[in-house]
Amino acid sequence: MPDQAKPVRGRLVVEPALCHACQSCMVACSLVHEGEVIPSKARLQVTIDPFKGNHTIRYCHQCRNAPCARACPNHAISQAEAGHWQVDESLCDGCGACAEACPFHTLTVIGVALKCDTCHGDPACVASCPSGGLTWRISSR
Amino acid sequence: MEDLQQMKTRTAPWVGQILHIDLSSGAVSTLPTLPYAEQYLGGRGLAARLAWDMLPPGVKAFDPGNVLFFMPGCLVGTPAPSAGRVTICGLSPQGYPDEWYTRSNLGGQWGPELKFAGYDGLVVTGKAPQPVCIQIEDDRVEIRDAAGLWGRGLVETQKLLNEQLGEGWRTLAIGPAGENLVRYAIVATNTESAAGQGGFGAVMGSKNLKAIAVRGHGGVPVANPREALRRSRLVVERILERYNYHPTSERRPDVPYDDKRRRAPCTYQCPRSCGGFYEGLPGAAFPDRTYDGHWHCCSPVWAGAAWMHADKGKPGLQGGFEITQISNDLGINHWEFAFGMGPWFGAMLDRGEQVLLDGEPVAMGDTAWWIALLEKISYRRGVGDVLAEGCPRAAGILGMGEDLIGQFYPGWGQASHWDGHGSFGGPYWPFWLVTSLQWAMDTRDPMGGGHDYTINIFGPASNEVKGGVLDPDARRRWLAMGEHLYGSADAVDPLSSYGGKAHASIVHQDAGGIKDSLGLCDNTFPMLTDPKAEDFIQRVDGVEGRHFEHYLFEPTSDLSISREDFYRIGTRIYTLERMIAHRNWNRDRSTDETIIPYLMRESQSVNPAVGQKIEVDEVRFRAMMDEYYGLRGWDVQTGRPLPETLKDLGMDKL
């Protein structure tokens, strides 16, 4: 089991009314984590229904008690100094227990668990968001 | 399908291969992208290069020998803003008098998805023996029976495919108009994003191809991710400052149904959201129905226009929206109605003629009448069978209003667009000289990939800088901008005449070739001017706006292409398209000049600094054409690119 949770120093805040589903966040996220633009591996997912003009955003809330970390049988998800929960890929065997446990259906497993690490406190998704729909809020929570 | 794996070569931002599907034989193969990349980039350029080899003279639009190119630009899938666009090319059934090679363009998420599936483009040849749809999931390519989809609406077809295939699939489709070979049938993705001009929906119909569904799980390589993201971010800031669109900021409680509207971009990776998506708008002709869909650009013209002759009321927002959504589902091009057929009917009414269709008078203020007409055309019933040919052809067949066609159709089978004349004049004198010359030389309405002179020069000159162009200091700075960007103050001067316009036309034709080959939005790029800047020149990071395309391309690409070589690609693409038209249809100066009578009619708007309408002077327009051919390195008598020009562009071996 992970240690007692430390305060999360910042978190993503999504304002759905401002997001217009351009997917720039997914482009930036996958590019910085994978070295290529692979939206299917982005750590946050904007799903578009083009026939209703609707979209949903699934993103990691960096839960205080991190059910994903608790569920991992290999202790591959731990809390970093900066406060975010991150995956140690060398320990992850891709079993998917974390994805099952995630209450926001945000974690995906493609070989290994793909989980938001907040870009270590400087999220690329927020920097790329043109509409103010995604912000980074410093929090003492 | 082994060759699909073997030929993958990844040189960013290309994914390395072009998918070729022959519907006659069912054969699936690939060809490598890289041999063409440095000279033609992708998108429109890549299509033109392949068309040169694959479309010999003598082929007609509905022959199985016609080739459809579905080509995302090479920046599609990268962080470049608005880079989600796909150019569709092939022989166009809307082309008039010849069904020649041309292009059209759409957005949505289909283009990026094709690249994530591992293809820089899709080439479709042949004709399927029965209705099919193409299904591409990474290396798995299937040609599936589409009997259950044939006859369905364009949007309905995509919804059915999405239900069958699941989340994340992106689709292109045609509607009944395409199946029934209406010459201005569209190919579209989502509810509205369409390759509207050209009639490529009918070409898909002629090939028995109903839809193309794509799902990709791969990636698009980017040479320098951090720098590509940084530059994209800086250009996005300029775009937002220049165009100031925002998802919710413009919603107005006093506007009917504005509560049902939200801003949404038409394409992947676009920061602008210039269109609105309405959800649940009640119908006017069918009040028990509600409609959902994007509404962009000129679609709202159906709400009401003077040419409707509608004393008893017009369709309004509700009726106009209903008509556009039904026309989208039928898969038919709005432009033909809004700026061609409707104004043509109106002009006949203006001069006191009765316009009877199948014995019934036209009733253009009536939503239900429009819907019935659209259905007649899409299913080729009654007079709809003739109108499905497009007005330039239909007028002759019906023996109706033939002399009026030239008032609304500058040429090539397409209705007016920002040429100063017809039903959608746009810019006033002398600015429409540039777009008119672009019309003269093109194979289609040149505003596909050609809005930029009007947006960058006429727009600020008539809006933000308006009074300023006559203020001595602002005028000096404005004209200096013209000198800088075009080598001539006349190119931007509202008080000028024919001077400087030929060069400006070329600059923007070539810029169109670049942006359509990168997959960028025509309404955003190139970003030449900034009305707020002291010298009116757009800049970021010390780079001028006219070089933003190269600025965005550079960090994405493993190929190092100098700025000069990069912008010459636009010239090469436009020249190659001219060569195709010349080789296959004997396109020459005499064809280009057929636009002159249209331009000699009274123009539509008045330059306030001039105070009166101005028509084209035939002699001076021809002299401007001389100048154009000379600057292009094309023969002034024939309009054909000269051998030394081709050699200079590295095309003499073609």
Side-chain angles (χ1 to χ4, degrees):
Chain A
M1 295 291 290
D3 297 333
Q4 183 67 30
K6 299 168 193 167
V8 173
R9 295 198 187 157
R11 63 190 177 97
L12 284 178
V13 177
V14 173
E15 178 51 68
L18 291 178
C19 170
H20 60 167
C22 68
Q23 300 172 299
S24 300
C25 51
M26 293 167 66
V27 169
C29 175
S30 60
L31 192 50
V32 300
H33 287 99
E34 304 291 332
E36 291 195 345
V37 180
I38 313 181
S40 56
K41 291 191 176 179
R43 275 62 170 168
L44 77 175
Q45 290 287 326
V46 180
T47 311
I48 301 172
D49 176 354
F51 307 109
K52 285 285 179 192
N54 284 335
H55 58 271
T56 52
I57 310 166
R58 300 197 309 269
Y59 65 101
C60 177
H61 292 235
Q62 301 294 344
C63 304
R64 191 188 316 205
N65 293 318
C68 55
R70 290 163 175 265
C72 179
N74 301 323
H75 308 299
I77 302 176
S78 60
Q79 196 166 32
E81 192 62 30
H84 58 268
W85 295 92
Q86 63 186 8
V87 177
D88 181 343
E89 291 188 5
S90 68
L91 296 176
C92 175
D93 62 7
C95 72
C98 54
E100 283 289 318
C102 175
F104 300 102
H105 309 293
T106 250
L107 252 153
T108 51
V109 178
I110 302 175
V112 294
L114 303 174
K115 188 196 166 301
C116 170
D117 60 3
T118 74
C119 299
H120 307 280
D122 183 18
C125 54
V126 171
S128 75
C129 178
S131 69
L134 265 180
T135 48
W136 177 242
R137 189 175 296 163
I138 303 297
S139 163
S140 60
R141 195 176 67 137
Chain B
M1 211 128 343
E2 285 170 19
D3 56 342
L4 294 187
Q5 286 300 330
Q6 284 170 3
M7 300 181 80
K8 274 191 177 168
T9 343
R10 291 168 69 87
T11 300
W14 296 273
V15 289
Q17 57 184 354
I18 301 156
L19 184 63
H20 177 195
I21 299 175
D22 183 63
L23 293 173
S24 297
S25 64
V28 176
S29 58
T30 61
L31 55 154
T33 315
L34 275 186
Y36 309 108
E38 198 164 357
Q39 298 267 302
Y40 297 96
L41 295 175
R44 175 177 160 190
L46 186 52
R49 179 61 190 84
L50 295 173
W52 176 258
D53 291 341
M54 297 180 75
L55 279 171
V59 184
K60 305 279 281 180
F62 294 143
D63 292 349
N66 191 3
V67 184
L68 275 176
F69 302 92
F70 300 87
M71 295 294 189
C74 71
L75 286 184
V76 169
T78 74
S82 84
R85 314 261 336 160
V86 178
T87 304
I88 300 180
C89 299
L91 303 184
S92 154
Q94 193 180 8
Y96 182 82
D98 291 307
E99 296 174 351
W100 55 30
Y101 174 83
T102 195
R103 62 194 185 276
S104 198
N105 189 289
L106 53 70
Q109 294 84 23
W110 189 91
E113 203 67 29
L114 187 72
K115 286 196 75 176
F116 300 137
Y119 308 103
D120 292 307
L122 166 65
V123 179
V124 177
T125 53
K127 176 182 179 174
Q130 71 285 318
V132 296
C133 75
I134 292 172
Q135 193 175 312
I136 302 163
E137 185 172 20
D138 304 318
D139 288 342
R140 288 191 298 283
V141 180
E142 284 180 63
I143 303 171
R144 283 180 43 189
D145 178 73
L149 297 173
W150 202 254
R152 305 259 192 184
L154 183 154
V155 179
E156 184 190 11
T157 296
Q158 295 180 82
K159 286 180 180 171
L160 286 168
L161 280 169
N162 277 40
E163 281 169 20
Q164 286 169 21
L165 297 170
E167 189 183 300
W169 284 79
R170 309 297 180 191
T171 47
L172 292 182
I174 62 168
E179 296 172 14
N180 295 312
L181 310 186
V182 175
R183 286 185 184 269
Y184 44 97
I186 63 174
V187 183
T189 183
N190 303 340
T191 61
E192 195 216 24
S193 192
Q197 300 281 36
F200 294 117
V203 179
M204 277 180 68
S206 76
K207 294 183 176 304
N208 273 327
L209 177 57
K210 180 66 179 174
I212 308 172
V214 182
R215 181 77 174 109
H217 299 88
V220 169
V222 171
N224 184 341
R226 292 277 172 195
E227 184 62 6
L229 284 169
R230 187 185 77 85
R231 292 190 182 187
S232 171
R233 213 154 46 227
L234 291 173
V235 173
V236 164
E237 281 170 17
R238 303 308 303 149
I239 292 171
L240 293 177
E241 183 165 323
R242 180 75 184 90
Y243 300 108
N244 194 30
Y245 286 110
H246 204 263
T248 53
S249 59
E250 292 178 29
R251 191 175 287 168
R252 290 171 49 187
D254 55 319
V255 174
Y257 300 113
D258 222 39
D259 59 324
K260 294 187 183 300
R261 182 178 67 88
R262 51 180 162 265
R263 289 209 165 268
C266 84
T267 202
Y268 168 93
Q269 190 65 23
C270 175
R272 279 183 65 181
S273 275
C274 60
F277 195 102
Y278 287 88
E279 187 182 0
L281 231 69
F286 300 102
D288 54 324
R289 296 184 191 168
T290 58
Y291 298 89
D292 311 319
H294 243 133
W295 225 22
H296 270 103
C297 191
C298 295
S299 297
V301 80
W302 247 320
W307 47 256
M308 286 182 169
H309 279 253
D311 303 335
K312 293 175 189 159
K314 292 173 180 168
L317 173 68
Q318 238 176 288
F321 190 75
E322 184 172 35
I323 297 168
T324 49
Q325 299 315 310
I326 288 177
S327 82
N328 289 341
D329 207 32
L330 290 167
I332 196 164
N333 184 4
H334 299 178
W335 202 269
E336 176 71 3
F337 298 95
F339 303 103
M341 194 181 296
W344 177 54
F345 289 159
M348 284 186 268
L349 295 173
D350 280 344
R351 62 184 189 188
E353 286 175 34
Q354 241 195 330
V355 185
L356 299 175
L357 301 178
D358 291 332
E360 296 291 326
V362 300
M364 293 191 283
D366 182 357
T367 303
W369 179 85
W370 274 112
I371 294 169
L373 179 70
L374 291 167
E375 288 178 348
K376 270 188 163 188
I377 292 170
S378 299
Y379 292 98
R380 285 185 172 269
R381 292 197 293 255
V383 73
D385 189 34
V386 180
L387 293 173
E389 294 295 293
C391 294
R393 288 179 170 87
I397 301 168
L398 295 169
M400 188 169 94
E402 281 181 82
D403 58 316
L404 292 170
I405 286 296
Q407 189 173 322
F408 301 107
Y409 288 82
W412 330 139
Q414 302 193 8
S416 69
H417 196 172
W418 284 16
D419 48 63
H421 299 73
S423 58
F424 189 17
Y428 50 63
W429 166 272
F431 297 104
W432 53 253
L433 281 170
V434 171
T435 43
S436 296
L437 194 55
Q438 288 177 299
W439 263 97
M441 302 299 167
D442 216 315
T443 50
R444 56 156 288 161
D445 162 5
M447 293 306 110
H451 282 85
D452 29 307
Y453 175 77
T454 304
I455 291 172
N456 280 281
I457 306 301
F458 170 71
S462 60
N463 293 311
E464 294 100 324
V465 195
K466 198 174 180 177
V469 291
L470 297 176
D471 164 82
D473 175 56
R475 180 171 165 75
R476 180 187 54 74
R477 291 182 287 117
W478 180 257
L479 298 185
M481 175 274 291
E483 281 282 357
H484 181 75
L485 291 182
Y486 302 101
S488 124
D490 279 350
V492 303
D493 186 359
L495 301 178
S496 69
S497 181
Y498 291 81
K501 305 302 182 297
H503 180 64
S505 295
I506 291 170
V507 166
H508 287 281
Q509 286 171 331
D510 294 354
I514 289 287
K515 79 179 135 189
D516 288 345
S517 301
L518 298 174
L520 302 177
C521 167
D522 180 44
N523 257 292
T524 304
F525 290 94
M527 296 177 66
L528 305 181
T529 56
D530 175 4
K532 291 180 185 161
E534 176 73 11
D535 59 2
F536 299 118
I537 293 184
Q538 181 66 258
R539 276 189 192 82
V540 78
D541 214 9
V543 174
E544 286 187 25
R546 59 176 163 166
H547 299 135
F548 280 3
E549 297 84 359
H550 183 256
Y551 175 75
L552 290 166
F553 171 81
E554 215 173 17
T556 70
S557 176
D558 285 329
L559 292 185
S560 174
I561 304 178
S562 73
R563 189 188 275 172
E564 190 190 354
D565 287 345
F566 181 83
Y567 284 101
R568 274 167 65 78
I569 295 172
T571 314
R572 183 177 298 118
I573 292 166
Y574 200 83
T575 306
L576 179 57
E577 289 171 343
R578 181 72 176 191
M579 291 292 288
I580 295 171
H582 179 80
R583 183 191 67 183
N584 289 23
W585 299 276
N586 197 27
R587 177 73 184 248
D588 61 7
R589 178 169 182 154
S590 67
T591 320
D592 304 342
E593 287 183 350
T594 58
I595 197 176
I596 294 176
Y598 168 88
L599 296 171
M600 288 170 69
R601 292 166 202 266
E602 189 175 71
S603 59
Q604 289 298 308
S605 48
V606 174
N607 179 341
V610 176
Q612 66 183 66
K613 291 182 177 179
I614 293 179
E615 292 84 51
V616 149
D617 178 295
E618 189 175 357
V619 173
R620 298 191 72 186
F621 194 81
R622 283 182 205 278
M624 186 171 68
M625 290 175 75
D626 289 347
E627 185 188 355
Y628 174 94
Y629 297 123
L631 288 167
R632 275 270 182 223
W634 297 359
D635 185 286
V636 175
Q637 304 301 319
T638 65
R640 186 178 185 187
L642 292 163
E644 54 265 36
T645 303
L646 297 178
K647 189 168 184 210
D648 197 37
L649 290 168
M651 297 165 67
D652 49 327
K653 300 280 192 305
L654 285 181

